[in-house]
Structure formats: C-alpha cells, structure tokens
Amino acid sequence: MRDTVSLTIDGVPVSVPQGTTLRAAAEAVGHEVPTLCWHENLAPANACRACVVEVEGSRALVAACSRVAEPGMVVHTRSPRVERARRVVAELLASAVDISLAPTVAALVEETQSEPERWEGARTAPPVRDDNGLYVRDYAKCILCYRCVEACGAEAQNTFAISVAGRGFDAHIDAGWDRAMPESDCVFCGNCVAVCPTGALMDRTEWTLRQEGRWDEAAIHTTDTVCGYCGVGCALTLHVLDNRIVKVTSPDDHPVTHGMLCVKGRYAYQYVQAEESGDGPLV
Amino acid sequence: MILLVGSNAAETHPILFHHIMKGVHRGAELIVVDPRRTATARKAREHVQLAVGTDIALVNAMIHVIIREGLWHRAFVERATDGYEELKAQVASWTPERAAAICGVPPAQIERVARTYAQADRAMIAWTLGITEHHNAVDHVLALINLALLTGHVGRPGTGLNPLRGQNNVQGGGDMGALPDRLPGFYSVRDAAARQRFEAAWGVTLSERPGLNQSQIFEAMREGRVQGLYVIGENPLVSEANSQHIAEAFARLRALIVQDVVMTATAARADVVFPARVSFAESTGTYTNSERRVQLVRAARQAPGEARDDLWILAALARELGHAWPEVTAAEVFAEIRAMVPTYRGITYQRLENTPGIQWPCPDENHPGTPVLHTRLWDEVVTPRVAFHPVEWVPPAEPLDDAFPFRLTTGRRLQSFNSGVQSRHYGHPAPEHEWLEIHPRDAQALGLEEGRQARVVSRRGSLTVPVRLTSTVPPGTVFLSFHFPDQTPTNVLSIDATDVVSGTAEFKAAAVRIERVEE
C-alpha cells in the first residue's frame, strides 16, 4: 500500500501509516520506548534524549519521538549502544536535578540501572519561586524538557511568556529578565503546570498541602465533569481530597481541551467551597 | 480562513482560541473585527479596528465588493437561496468608501477582507457579544448570515456561522425552550401540533401566546403588569443595562424570589431566598456547549449541610403549590428530554458515559452526532431554500455629542466572569478591582494619570474608577468590564436600548463623558 511504510523494529517487521514516528511504531509492536519530554499533545522538543534508538546506517542515535519511519528502516530500541546512552541520560539528569516528584525520570533511572552518584559536580538548586497566587516554580526539579515552553507557546496557549534562557548548566526557564510571573506576559492558565513531568511546576494548593504534609494521593478522588464557566464546554477532572477540590486538570484525550484549560477553568473554583473556608459570600 | 467579529476569544473563550491558533499555525488566515486591539486582535493577520456599532456597514460593504467583483458563489446562491436580487439592490449604495467613512477603516482594507473571505476555500465566521449586544442585534447577525450565504461558506466542514456562547449551558437552555416563545426542541408555542404533544406528555394546557423576554419583563415590572419575579441563577440588578432603571422596576415588585449559589446583590433584595448551595461540582446533569456537544456533568463532592439543588427546589415548590411533582433525578429528566426532543433522541446517559459528548442532532442511538449543520444546503435540490435578509445599518441608539463625547463599550476580562460572583478571590494576581481603559492621548487631554481616579458619567448614572492608559482602545472609546459591581457598578452607565426581537440591550455602546477627580 502506498500510504504505509514497512520497517523492522527489534527484528519484528511492521507496517505503519506514513508519517508515523519511530516511537509510535515501536509502541505498535509492543516495544515501548521510554520518554521524558515527549507529550501526546505537544510537538516533540527532542530535548531529553531518553527515547533514542539505533537506526542501522545512521551514525548517531535518533530521537524516536520525532524521527519518522522510513521504508526499510532497521531499528533497534534496546541495543547495548541505546541502553548505554539512556543510562547516561538518566544519570546526568538524576545527578543534577531533584527527581523526587518525577516518576518518569525515576523509572528511567531504575530501568537503566543508572548510578547517578558516578557524576560528581554541581546540582541545579535555585530557590523556590512562589510569586503568584496560583502556581509555584521549583526549578531544582526542572529537567528542561521544554514541555512548559511548548504549551505556553505555539502548541496550545500561544502566549509565549516563557522560554529557555542561558546556556549549558545555566540554562533555565525564564519569563524574561528573571521577572516574577505577575510582571511577565503570563495569563496563569496553568497549562505549563499541566504538562510538567517533574513537579517543578505545581499548583499552589497542591504545593501548600505537600508542604504541610497533607497531600495524600491515595485519598484523592477524581471525577470527570464539565466546566461551569463559558460555553466552550471544557472537560474538567476535579481532584477532591476530604470533600475539597484541591486540583483541576483536563483529560489529555478530550477533543475540546486536549488537556489544556484557561485560568478560570483550572483555578477559579474556590467559590464552590467558600462556605468551608468562610472567605466568600454566603446565603 | 477565520473571521472573528466582535469576539475577544483569546480572553473570553481561551480554549476555543487554542483551536483557532492551531488553524493559524497550519496556514489559516485570521481576521479580527473589533473596535479594541484585544489579545485576540493582536494575533490576527488583519485587524479591522472599526468604530463601535458599525459592523453592519462593514459587512454590507464587504457584500457590495463581493458582488461587484463577481466573487460570490453563483451556483450555491442560485440553488440554495432566495432574495439575491433584493440583497444586491440593497447593498448597491454600500460602497467601501461609504462604509469606510462610517467605520473609520480604509476602503482598501474592506476590499481586502471581502476578497479574502470570499475567495477562501473554507471560511468560517464566529462572533460573540460584540455582535449581539446592540439595539439592532438581530440585524447584525442577519448581515453575517447574508455574507456567509452569498459565498457558500455554510454547511461544509471549516465553514459556517458560530455564535460563541458566553455561559456553559446557554445552548442547552435554549434547546430546552428557555425562551419566551419556544418549547423544548425549539418548537414554537404557536405550533398547535407541537403544543398538543407537550400538553399530552405533561397533562397541562399550554398557552399559545409567547411569554415576555427579559427586557419586556423589566418593562412590565415598571408598569405593574408583572408583580412577582422568580430569579434562578441570575444577578440582574448588577448584570443588566441601566441598573438604576432596573432597580426602580424591582422596587415595584410585590414578591421577589431568588435562588442562587451565593448571596448576590439581587438575592439581598429578595423576599425569599432559596439557597441552592449546589454548584456545578456537586451537580449531575448535562451541559450543551457552543458546538451543540452534550456532555455529562458529574458530582465530585458533597454540598454542605442540607443544601439542595435547583431540581429539588423546583419540585418541592411545585408540591407546595398543590401539584403532584415527584422527586426526580437528572437522569430521569434527561430521559424525558430524549422522548420529547428529536434532536436529543439518540443521546443516552450510557453513551455520554463513554464518549466526550455527542453533538446534536442525534436522531437515534446508532447515530454518531452531527458536527456540521446545514449540510442539506449542498443537496441537488434544496427545500426549503434559505432567504437573504437585507439589513440597513443604523448607528448606536445613543449618539455622541459635546456633553457625552466618549463611546463606552463593555465586556469581560480573562481572569473574571460576569458580575464576579464566581470569580472573586481565587488567588489571581491581577488587581481585584475595576479599571477604565482609555487611550493615552485622551488621558493626556483630560489630565488623567495612570492609576488615578476618573469619573465616568452617562445620561443614566456615574461612577469613579481608576484609569489605565492603553492603546488597546482607540482614541474616543473607553472600556469597562462589569466584574466588580460593588465598587464599580458599570451598568449604571450602560443603556437599555434593546433589540426588538431578541430583547438584548446595547451594552456595547453608551455615550459618556470622563472627568478628572481631584484627589
């Protein structure tokens, strides 16, 4: 067929539609490639290199999240060279960044039997920035995956409030001249928070509850519903702890939102439970 | 190609705007028609910054250009429409030069936008309250319909006319007959057969006389013809135009009942308040969004104490009034909707559980729903054909003059919602107060400084508010939201000139003067 591409992945022949990435093709044969920066609703940033695979005839390892399948490709997702590269990726990240709330990075460390302690040297440890009422930035946990930048930019929000500034070890997410978020172009939609895989960006309510030791993942119930504000009809997932909404997200596969929300949908829910906190109007 | 008219979607419908920008990144051309240089307008290829209330002049001139240059869809117009000759005759005098003088935009821009819209393979129009909050709201919408019909930009994917609904369930409310002349499913109350169906199902006699729309109700309250009012989930004392006048109407009521989640300004005036302390997060039911997508609303938490929802309160009230209304669940109500409204018939709770909503019409349970309406207009034979409705431009009800030289236009801001009842105090870093947006040139002429108070005066009322100097508004036009009515009751200024058909007031165009306040 003209619209499909045949290739071999780990010795398994597979045909996929034209335009399929190697990541998706590998998934189709059950050989999942680990990813950190890849996100189903964002363009691949090719930042993390966790998804590298070996393509015979290619000098360098290629990023499976963005490289598109070509006819006759022979791909190895778990060759020694691939595994060594992934191991070093995991070690370098874990040696420099706090991965305590980054399950995908932790899984990669474990899966690759990484030894981050092999890499002595600096750790990324900027202070926590709690400069707005809605979310907190702890860039000691940032792996520079670019997801927040993409979600803030052309992939969803089109606000372009943040970017990566600096080079090498000094590279960091910045809202321009190291500004606090309220002084930046940020519109506080929290879509950066929604796509952050490491807990570097966190809704302030969750951050506060974690600081107080009251965030209990196991006790949180989630319910899918629909936003009560404008007429777009965004799907909301309400995260409820002790009968209080503590977080709002949206399903990544919903055709209206693709996991993205606006500031009111994500954060303006306090009126619902104002009577418990006593800081809102009552009947 | 996407033509947004009177819509600041980036702030008022942000997630819809994500979809628009996806289209833009894939090559769609975005043109925004708006008196203000909004966040939305700044993303557009072309911003048509027309004067407030001149949209019909612009659209008539676009139609003039499209006909003059032979860019209209002859085959579609001949097969699917009636009244082309009348439309052509009516726009004959609407040259771009004539419209340009009214709209304050260059004739060449009108021509360019007309050509871009007409020549696009697929072009859609979307609008919000910039089109409908005028005393000639329906004419505004008809002008846009004429434009879409003339170019065949309807009934195909990527085309059409899209009113962006401002509230979660405006569409669903209309679908259910929450209009003075409609039954559920948009059947006219004058339609005897439809009325009989509902009479049989409900065991009551229904009036064939349309009720009153909101503006007519306020008028009737003033005249003493309506003496009792039951308000559910609305805050008209602050959200309606010319609020001083509205307050006078409310003062004449003999009974006011308000049912709301919180103690609104209107509830504070009520004789009886039903605390419907059950918000969307504690409710079950469905919302129908702007694209007719019916979605399931699920309760995520328990409402406090003995709070009851709207459905329970209504049924209990009916029982007190001597009607044997049973306690019913939202699911049972939906089953009745399915039985009575053909467009909802194929939508079941079970299907909604397993899908991200279904777009009506959905006539049976195997039907996937209908993403695109009016596809029948592309059939070989179109019956019935649709008519053009030529409309004339008239200026806003209140002209500018020496005493009131500024055009006040009102709207929403991203972080807030309507009268602020839901959107106050959630931690947003924006200031928790209103500000007047005024062009720096006007501010300088009036001696106004950033952050200082100004007095805004209309024929109906006045208020003081801090000013913000911004070129978002053009010289001569100022902007206020109505999100902080306690400190800044914007609607004491707005004018209650209303559209005769829809009853919508002209929130978008009042005449005001601005005065410096010596502090």
Side-chain angles (χ1 to χ4, degrees), chain B residues 341-416:
Chain B
V341 179
T343 48
Y344 277 67
R345 187 151 295 155
I347 305 173
T348 65
Y349 261 41
Q350 196 182 356
R351 289 185 74 186
L352 293 180
E353 286 280 359
N354 303 315
T355 58
I358 297 172
Q359 289 170 275
W360 68 252
C362 180
D364 65 68
E365 288 182 37
N366 297 314
H367 193 284
T370 308
V372 180
L373 280 186
H374 309 306
T375 51
R376 70 168 188 91
L377 296 177
W378 293 93
D379 290 348
E380 280 297 313
V381 179
V382 177
T383 347
R385 291 146 72 97
V386 285
F388 288 106
H389 287 88
V391 286
E392 268 306 321
W393 172 76
V394 290
E398 191 172 40
L400 303 182
D401 56 27
D402 288 346
F404 299 98
F406 281 91
R407 181 59 77 201
L408 169 68
T409 192
T410 66
R412 284 180 186 165
R413 297 200 176 96
L414 170 64
Q415 64 273 16
S416 298

Side-chain angles (χ1 to χ4, degrees), chain A residues 89-176:
Chain A
V89 165
E91 286 174 341
L92 290 175
L93 286 175
S95 71
V97 177
D98 170 6
I99 61 163
S100 58
L101 292 176
T104 53
V105 185
L108 190 69
V109 168
E110 179 154 337
E111 190 182 311
T112 57
Q113 298 175 333
S114 294
E115 297 166 32
E117 52 285 357
R118 289 202 298 143
W119 305 84
E120 278 180 29
R123 290 184 67 83
T124 307
V128 171
R129 300 193 69 168
D130 179 13
D131 57 13
N132 66 83
L134 298 176
Y135 62 83
V136 175
R137 299 176 289 155
D138 179 3
Y139 288 134
K141 296 189 173 73
C142 176
I143 61 168
L144 291 173
C145 70
Y146 280 73
R147 279 189 186 182
C148 57
V149 176
E150 295 294 327
C152 187
E155 291 297 301
Q157 184 56 32
N158 288 281
T159 294
F160 302 95
I162 49 173
S163 190
V164 174
R167 289 289 177 272
F169 205 81
D170 295 328
H172 63 283
I173 305 293
D174 197 300

Side-chain angles (χ1 to χ4, degrees), chain B residues 92-104:
Chain B
S93 67
W94 277 105
T95 61
E97 290 72 21
R98 182 184 171 200
I102 291 166
C103 302

